[in-house]
Each structure stands twice: as C-alpha cells, then as structure tokens.
Amino acid sequence: MHLRITWPAMLVAGACLLGSAPAFAEYAVPPANLLKVLKAPPPPSPSLDPTGRRMLLVTSQTYPSIERVARPYLKLAGVRLEPANRSRHDTPAGYGIPACVADFTLVDIASGKETRVALPAGACPGPARWSPDGNRLVFQNVTPTAVELWLGDAASGQAHKVPGVQLNPIFDSAMQWLDGSKTLLVKKVPDGQGPAPAGNAAGIGPDIQQSLGGKGQSSTYEARDLLASAHDEALFAYYGSSQLAVVDAASGSVRNVGKPAIYKGVDAAPDGVHVLVDAIKPPFSHTVTYQRFPHDVAVLDVDKGTSTPVASLPLADRVPIHGVPEGPINFEWRATAPATLVWSEALDKGDWNVDVPARDKVMSWKAPFAGKPVEIARTKQRFVGYVWTPKPDVAFQYEIDDNRHWQTTRIVDVDKPGDAGRVLWDMSSDELYKDPGMFVYQVLPNGAYAARMDGGAVFLRGQGASKRGDRPFLDRLDLATLKSERLFRSGTDDYDQFLGFAGEPGRFLTWHQSLMDPPNAFVRTLGERTVDAADGEAQYASAGRQLTRVPDPTPEVRQIKKQLVTYKRADGLDLSFTLYTPPGYKPGTRLPAVLYAYPADYASSEQAGQVSGSQNTFTRLPYYRLMLLAGYAIIDNASFPIVGDPKTAYDTYLEQLEADAKAAVDKAVELGVVDRDRIGVTGHSHGALMTANLIAHTKLFRAGVATSGSYNKTLTPFGFQNERRTVWQAQDVYLKASPFFYADKTKLPLLLVHGEDDANPGTEPIQSRKLFQAIRGNGGTVRLVMLPHEPHWYTALESNEQVVAEMLQWFDRYVKNAPAEGKE
C-alpha cells in the first residue's frame, strides 16, 4: 500500500522546503479539480481497416498504478523485461512503460454501428493490427504469466486466445501477417526452454572492459541498463531467444520454422514464403546496447526451413556522432515484387565529416538469392529509403543531408540500375509552409504497403502549416505534371485531419475536432469546387456525416480560452506560442503564468520562424497545463529555435535561449494577460536543460520546474542533442550549455524532478542528483523529487499526481504568491 498525502497536508509539509531533510515520503495528491481532469480518459485513436469498411477506436489506459510500474524487471543491454511473463517493461524507445488498451470498439462505416471487442476481465491488450482484407484483428494480451496471442473477428467483435503460443515481444515484431490474411508469423518463447540461468551464489564478480586502440565515439548509456557480467549475458541470451512459427488464422494451428535464435528483427516478404531475419550473436558488449551488437542477416524460407545468409555484421561500438554503421543497413522488401530485398551501404565509412561523391549505394537481391546482389543506385546524400507504389516502374527515393537539414525525393524506376529519375521535392527538412505532405498509403493484397494511386496520380496528406496555424489537407499529385490539386482542407475554426478513404470512390474519413468539440470521425464526400473565403485558395467543399460520438470527458475544461500568438525575436526572427487563459478569466487582468517550451535546432532562420500548431484543437491538459485550473495563464509551446550551421549552432545556444525567452515574455506581457513579475518556466528533457539555464542566467522568471533533464553535458562527451563535436573539440560549448557549472549563480528557486529508472541516453538520474547537490552546496533554493520506478516519461498515476502537486506548490509559493519586491 502506497500512502497518499492530501493537498492541505502538503501545504503544511511545504514549510520544510528549505531544509536539508525530505519534506515527506508519501505520494502527494493535487487539489480535487486538478485530479479529476488528470484522471480523465484520453480520446480514442482511430485505425481504419485496409478496405475502408470499418474503423477501430482504441482507448488506452490513462495511467497504470504504481504497483504495475513497480513490477520486478531485468535491465539487459538496453531492453527492460519482466521475467514473470516475458513482457516488455518499457516502450521501444525506452521512454515509458507500455499502457494497456482499455477498450477496442469497431465502427461500421456504412451504418455507424458500434461493436465493442469482447475482452476478458483484467485483460491488458496491446495495439491491434488489421489483416490486409480487413476481416480480422491481431493483438497481444499481457497476463501475469505470459504474453498471449489473440485474434479478433471484425464482423462480430468476438476475440479469442490462440492456444499454444506464448509470444516473446522483447525485440518487437512479435507478430505480423504473412501471405496476405491467411496466416501469421510470430516470435514465441522456445518450446521446452527450461528455467532461466542461475546467478553466482555470491552475486559478485568483476566487470572488465578494455580498448586496445582505435578511435571512435559511442553514445553514453545508463550503466545499469548495460550488460555487466557473464550472468547478464546468459540472461540476455535466454530471454532474447525466440522460436519463429507460422499460425493459421482460421484453424489456430501452429508450425515452428527455423531454429531458435536471438531474433532482433523479423520481416516477411510479400510472397509469404521468404522472411528477413536479423539475429544477434555473441560476443555481447558491455559498452553499448543490443542495437549495436554483432548480428547476422539472412533470408529464411518458411516452407522449406532453409536459410540464405545476407550479411554478417560486427559489433558497431565506434559509430561516428550522427553517423551510421558500416556495412549493409536499412533492409526492406520491395512491395511490388514477390521477394526482392533492398538495402543500403555507406560509402563514406558512415561519417558525415567525410567528403565523397556519393554517400551511399543501394543494393537489391531477389529470390531465389542465387546470384550476386545488384547495385541499383548511388545517392549523393544519406539514403533513407523507398516509398513503393502499385506500379513497378514508379518508386520514390528519399535521401537526406544532415549537414544542412536538407532532403531530396526522386521518382525512380528501380528496375533501371543507376536511374537518376526526376526530382520531385528538394527542400529543407525543417520546412513547414511548403511541406507537400506525406503519401497516403494502401495495403496491397499481399500485405505490403504502397502509396495509393489514382491513374497516374498519388495522394498526399499534410499538416498544412501556415502563418495562421495548421490546416490539414488532402491533395492529389499528378506524377506527369508534378502539379497538386487540393481535394480537402480543414476549416478556419476547426481542426480536421484526413484519416483514409472509405471504400467507395469519392468517400473519405476525417478526424474532426474544435475548441468545443472532442475528436470524432466524419464521413465526407468530395464535392463541388469552391473557393476558400479565408485565403482565396480553390479547393473542394465536402459534405459530412458524423460517424462517431465520443463524449467530452472534461466539460469544465471548455471554459479555458486559447489563442495562437505571433511575435518577433530581437534579431527579427518570427516566433509563436499558444496563450491559454484559465476558466473565468476577465480580459485586462494580469495573471501569474507558466512558460513551457522545448528548444529545436534549425539550419535556417527561414524555417525556424514558421508557425506550427493550431488554436482550434480540442483542449486537453497535460501535467503543466493543469496549472490553468489553479488560476495561471500558460504560455505554451513557445518557439525556442537554435539557428545556425548544424556543425556549430550550439556556439550561440545560450544567447539564443535567452533571446527566445525574452521575446516570449515581452509579448505575453504586452498582450495585457501576464504579470511580468509572476512568471515561472518549465520544460522536460531538453526543455529541462533550457529551464535550468534560464533560471541560472536570466531574471525573466521567478522560479522553474525542470523534469528529467541533463545538466552537465561533459557527462555525454560524444555529442548531445544536435551538437556533433566531442567535448574535447568544443569544451567551451559543453561547459557553457551546462547549468551545473553555474550552480553558484543559480539563486532563483528550481524544482528538479526525475525518474529513478530513466534510461534515456544523456538524462541519467545522476544528472538531477548532482545539480541538486551543486545548487544546495552553493546556497541556492532547490528541491529534488526522485520518482521510484519511473523512466524518462512518468507513467504511474501516483507519480503524475506527485508531479502536478509538486509543481503547483512550487509555483504557488515562488511565483503566484511571491513577494512583490524585485527578483533576486
């Protein structure tokens, strides 16, 4: 049982804030009105079936309990797993803990009929995947002792467990459709594997590493997540091993294929026979995570059980900063061929510092994999991948230049090796206003994804960024003329996103929301060509039918007002933020405020100044926005661009940070909403670094709250964020960006919050502990809250309640109710 401390009691405990002893050890609970909104269910996420006949609404669990988050787990080479049931204890990126799906609801698009998928009490399903024919769903279900395979019938909503299959999701790709919609390829726990390896009885022994020369960089990882002993290696091999199997979706029969191995990646070819397998092999490193371990890539024939080697790749523990490993990478199957494998290989040793005529070559190898692979392209910049189309002679080839934030897309025929094709797009990768959008995909009968085509045209969906905010769109791009025709665009007083085509020609679905309306699906039909009154742009109007009726879980939040605000930095750079005002706000009243931001890096001021976001979205309140219910204004997602050559932009990081903050504060004050003398600042991760630096170097704010940050960049000596130089090449830059070295100047109150189990490279828990010690030792006002069992993003309900209660108490004391005299 975890004790709770209520809000009034916490206020009393706050008297101990400046002492050296902890104020309390129990979990705190924020005021009831904040707690109600914090615990409200999120809106569902829509998933359209490949045929456009049905939609699945997926509602995730809001927050699991701390008991769920605190389950015992192992940390093995960057993966966290629960030995009791062989489930993942972290998300693939390692930032959080997987949430259970609370509800699956099927919606028939023609009739609007809703059918809840029948699940047993206490079920913990993961995300579902449609079969290519749209008739079935597949998902995993986590129980206390196993990860089960479940199949659902889309027509009836009935779901059942497939007996005899215990999935092994440790390295993801635990299940996928094979051979269209008939069968599934799964990774399961090997049959008769036996108990896990026993450890050294004494539990001790040296962890020895060595380097015998050779230069190379690697990321800095949380040591507790790396392998550290022979026993760790044995556990990694035991829990990582999987048996591949083919499951018949109709009968449930299970057939093992191949031998057990530590399968990192598994990807089925369109023919349903060949499978790309990526298997980790010893020796296992104690310096890097499993993604860099030695591994063998091969093609497995699931009918014959035979395997054809493709590549044997060594340990990649010396990859250049922002570089790629040498050898074959980026494997993918060609969607328009039965079994043709495509990959790239670096020609510059994976190092962007090396000048070469072409950075990558692209290789192709088709079944029966008897001859030699064929080189089909060379790219001037780093190859990213292909987007395939149903037409074999049309593919879109992507490459990117990280040195200048630039991307190029070409239309190519991969059957003509060396074909330079036609340039479709050539623009900054940071571009928003001219962003053409992303391809609308279709699922081919073989289960492969390809760009949807209409004759000689493709469809594009995009964010629709503009100076007045985002207006999502749907376009039709003619590949002969390279001209786009606008088919749909969100209105000026709502936010309407294209979801997908709804089976019949001319019908499509959108996900609509507004300030007052929660997200819901609408069925729309392409109509007569009209002119948009807002900007004179020609487009199609579209009549709509509301398909779903998701209710508003927090009607009280609708009293909150927001507006998109644009302004300029002192050097003329365009910036923006969204200003929220609390319920009952009277214009002309100046309020205490909290600024939230996350700095972003740009190669050009033109892209850095572009507006992103919309004031027409349905308002939801993450932890820091809950301060609105306590009478604060929120200066949200303020633009904090760091602009310059990617090789040297951080030379002026601190100066640009201060200029960004001053511009935002000045504008909020100018609007007559914010009290200049009562502003706090907060941010998470890279935003926490921003927060600590602004508290140390400026007097714009009264107090700060920094969550899960990195404050001493010398602890990540081989680069941070987009800084590519090492600490030995740019020592001044590392020191200047690190608030740890300015702890003696940090006199404004700073609250530090961190998850005890943060494994994100660069934001290890020691970062907050050491900054707290440094500020405390220099006489500053600082508080440290370490959340047990939490990763980079906080997951448990109790932890999130604690963060909100801490933040409110801190800002109430040092911002809202701060003495009127000048800041110290």
Side-chain angles (χ1 to χ4, degrees):
M1 176 67 70
H2 292 271
L3 299 177
R4 301 292 188 90
I5 189 166
T6 60
W7 182 246
M10 188 179 177
L11 290 177
V12 174
C16 301
L17 278 173
L18 298 181
S20 59
F24 52 83
E26 299 86 1
Y27 282 101
V29 180
N33 61 326
L34 278 71
L35 185 61
K36 177 179 181 293
V37 176
L38 176 69
K39 296 170 70 172
S45 298
S47 173
L48 192 62
D49 91 72
T51 69
R53 293 173 297 159
R54 301 182 182 93
M55 181 174 61
L56 182 69
L57 294 180
V58 182
T59 304
S60 297
Q61 182 183 34
T62 309
Y63 300 108
S65 68
I66 190 62
E67 285 80 9
R68 162 70 182 86
V69 175
R71 286 179 186 168
Y73 66 93
L74 300 174
K75 303 175 182 181
L76 299 172
V79 65
R80 297 178 171 188
L81 63 98
E82 297 180 13
N85 56 16
R86 311 286 284 259
S87 70
R88 281 290 292 262
H89 189 77
D90 59 348
T91 56
Y95 291 150
I97 294 173
C100 303
V101 170
D103 181 77
F104 286 132
T105 297
L106 289 157
V107 183
D108 182 82
I109 292 171
S111 65
K113 178 184 176 182
E114 295 188 1
T115 304
R116 294 188 66 184
V117 176
L119 297 171
C124 180
R129 299 182 66 171
W130 286 103
S131 60
D133 62 11
N135 291 329
R136 289 188 175 96
L137 298 165
V138 62
F139 56 91
Q140 69 176 38
N141 179 47
V142 179
T143 74
T145 59
V147 180
E148 303 169 340
L149 177 68
W150 280 63
L151 281 167
D153 179 75
S156 66
Q158 296 300 308
H160 67 277
K161 181 179 77 170
V162 177
V165 177
Q166 181 181 353
L167 295 175
N168 187 351
I170 300 307
F171 300 117
D172 306 314
S173 61
M175 55 192 179
Q176 57 190 283
W177 290 100
L178 181 73
D179 190 23
S181 303
K182 300 176 184 177
T183 56
L184 288 155
L185 178 67
V186 303
K187 291 196 301 185
K188 66 189 189 88
V189 174
D191 300 327
Q193 189 180 33
N200 184 321
I204 58 174
D207 177 19
I208 300 173
Q209 303 179 48
Q210 67 178 357
S211 177
L212 303 177
K215 185 178 180 181
Q217 302 97 11
S218 64
S219 296
T220 304
Y221 300 99
E222 166 65 307
R224 292 179 298 172
D225 276 58
L226 299 176
L227 300 181
S229 67
H231 183 233
D232 282 353
E233 294 183 27
L235 289 173
F236 176 80
Y238 174 84
Y239 286 107
S241 294
S242 297
Q243 170 66 61
L244 297 183
V246 175
V247 178
D248 186 284
S251 68
S253 64
V254 181
R255 175 174 61 89
N256 290 347
V257 293
K259 297 179 180 179
I262 308 174
Y263 292 113
K264 180 174 65 170
V266 178
D267 185 20
D271 67 357
V273 174
H274 295 91
V275 175
L276 179 72
V277 294
D278 188 346
I280 296 172
K281 63 182 180 180
F284 305 137
S285 172
H286 291 200
T287 304
V288 295
T289 56
Y290 75 89
Q291 293 92 339
R292 298 290 180 89
F293 283 6
H295 56 116
D296 289 332
V297 180
V299 174
L300 173 68
D301 185 317
V302 297
D303 286 347
K304 300 177 181 177
T306 57
S307 182
T308 302
V310 177
S312 182
L313 300 169
L315 176 67
D317 62 344
R318 296 181 183 273
V319 178
I321 300 172
H322 285 261
V324 298
E326 295 188 66
I329 58 172
N330 295 328
F331 291 93
E332 61 176 304
W333 291 108
R334 180 174 171 177
T336 53
T340 296
L341 195 59
V342 176
W343 68 86
S344 65
E345 298 181 25
L347 299 172
D348 59 358
K349 299 185 182 298
D351 189 349
W352 59 270
N353 287 292
V354 176
D355 290 326
V356 289
R359 291 211 176 273
D360 289 342
K361 65 178 180 180
V362 184
M363 308 297 293
S364 177
W365 203 16
K366 65 180 181 181
F369 309 104
K372 292 184 177 181
V374 176
E375 181 178 321
I376 59 174
R378 290 202 172 200
T379 57
K380 185 176 181 180
Q381 300 302 333
R382 189 69 69 211
F383 174 76
V384 177
Y386 287 111
V387 170
W388 308 101
T389 74
K391 293 189 174 182
D393 61 343
V394 177
F396 301 99
Q397 177 182 289
Y398 282 80
E399 57 185 280
I400 190 165
D401 180 2
D402 271 342
N403 286 338
R404 59 191 185 108
H405 288 205
W406 203 262
Q407 63 183 11
T408 303
T409 307
R410 296 177 179 274
I411 306 173
V412 299
D413 182 350
V414 295
D415 288 326
K416 297 178 179 178
D419 176 33
R422 289 184 295 157
V423 174
L424 175 58
W425 300 308
D426 190 44
M427 63 178 63
S428 168
S429 55
D430 298 323
E431 178 62 46
L432 294 179
Y433 292 170
K434 299 177 184 177
D435 182 3
M438 302 179 295
F439 292 105
V440 175
Y441 286 91
Q442 67 181 90
V443 179
L444 303 178
N446 59 23
Y449 283 80
R452 185 181 183 113
M453 295 196 72
D454 176 25
V458 292
F459 296 96
L460 300 168
R461 53 181 296 178
Q463 173 183 341
S466 73
K467 292 182 179 180
R468 291 185 296 274
D470 295 349
R471 294 181 63 190
F473 65 84
L474 172 67
D475 282 358
R476 182 180 184 273
L477 172 67
D478 188 298
L479 296 181
T481 65
L482 301 186
K483 292 183 178 180
S484 290
E485 176 187 19
R486 182 127 302 168
L487 303 181
F488 173 78
R489 191 185 189 193
S490 180
T492 57
D493 56 358
D494 59 9
Y495 190 82
D496 211 0
Q497 295 173 284
F498 172 82
L499 276 183
F501 290 99
E504 297 178 12
R507 283 205 318 167
F508 61 99
L509 269 72
T510 66
W511 193 241
H512 174 275
Q513 59 186 296
S514 70
L515 279 171
M516 303 303 293
D517 303 315
N520 272 288
F522 279 70
V523 181
R524 304 194 183 279
T525 306
L526 295 178
E528 295 297 324
R529 194 173 180 81
T530 62
V531 175
D532 189 334
D535 55 14
E537 179 181 331
Q539 67 179 65
Y540 282 101
S542 179
R545 167 175 64 89
Q546 186 169 348
L547 180 64
T548 62
R549 300 190 180 276
V550 177
D552 183 352
T554 53
E556 61 270 39
V557 173
R558 288 333 112 212
Q559 300 176 53
I560 292 171
K561 307 299 181 185
K562 63 179 174 181
Q563 66 177 114
L564 183 63
V565 178
T566 58
Y567 53 101
K568 290 183 181 294
R569 202 165 74 174
D571 59 3
L573 185 65
D574 291 324
L575 303 174
S576 65
F577 60 66
T578 299
L579 181 65
Y580 290 80
T581 51
Y585 171 69
K586 296 180 180 179
T589 305
R590 290 198 178 272
L591 299 171
V594 175
L595 181 147
Y596 175 89
Y598 188 96
D601 303 334
Y602 296 90
S604 166
S605 58
E606 182 179 352
Q607 281 75 43
Q610 295 182 343
V611 175
S612 177
S614 171
Q615 63 183 10
N616 297 317
T617 54
F618 187 67
T619 300
R620 296 189 65 213
L621 303 184
Y623 66 101
Y624 65 91
R625 279 193 212 151
L626 286 169
M627 301 302 107
L628 284 157
L629 302 181
Y632 290 82
I634 301 293
I635 306 166
D636 199 22
N637 287 320
S639 300
F640 267 67
I642 307 301
V643 186
D645 186 327
K647 300 175 184 178
T648 57
Y650 274 79
D651 288 355
T652 57
Y653 165 74
L654 199 56
E655 292 83 358
Q656 293 196 61
L657 208 64
E658 294 178 21
D660 293 334
K662 186 177 186 306
V665 167
D666 287 349
K667 187 61 179 182
V669 172
E670 177 191 317
L671 293 171
V673 175
V674 172
D675 182 347
R676 184 182 293 276
D677 291 329
R678 293 189 297 161
I679 306 176
V681 60
T682 188
H684 185 80
S685 194
H686 196 47
L689 173 67
M690 169 205 74
T691 298
N693 270 316
L694 291 174
I695 289 298
H697 295 286
T698 77
K699 293 187 177 181
L700 294 167
F701 305 98
R702 296 303 294 265
V705 177
T707 58
S708 295
S710 172
Y711 311 110
N712 182 351
K713 291 305 180 182
T714 68
L715 297 180
T716 54
F718 294 109
F720 62 90
Q721 208 67 10
N722 284 315
E723 174 55 59
R724 304 176 178 201
R725 296 164 292 183
T726 69
V727 68
W728 299 278
Q729 295 169 322
Q731 188 176 98
D732 289 346
V733 172
Y734 279 71
L735 295 177
K736 194 174 179 180
S738 302
F740 176 83
F741 296 105
Y742 298 90
D744 58 330
K745 295 179 173 58
T746 304
K747 301 305 179 185
L748 296 173
L750 180 62
L751 170 63
L752 299 168
V753 182
H754 217 117
E756 285 273 18
D757 280 348
D758 189 346
N760 180 46
T763 59
E764 300 95 332
I766 194 174
Q767 291 275 359
S768 286
R769 292 189 185 279
K770 291 301 182 183
L771 183 59
F772 169 77
Q773 292 169 6
I775 296 175
R776 177 181 177 275
N778 280 282
T781 301
V782 63
R783 179 178 174 86
L784 175 65
V785 178
M786 301 299 294
L787 300 172
H789 310 294
E790 291 291 356
H792 193 60
W793 285 101
Y794 317 138
T795 305
L797 174 61
E798 292 85 347
S799 300
N800 282 276
E801 291 173 347
Q802 182 79 35
V803 171
V804 173
E806 291 279 355
M807 179 175 284
L808 180 58
Q809 181 192 22
W810 195 257
F811 283 145
D812 274 358
R813 179 168 185 172
Y814 292 112
V815 175
K816 179 190 282 188
N817 302 316
E821 57 264 23
K823 312 176 193 67
E824 298 178 1

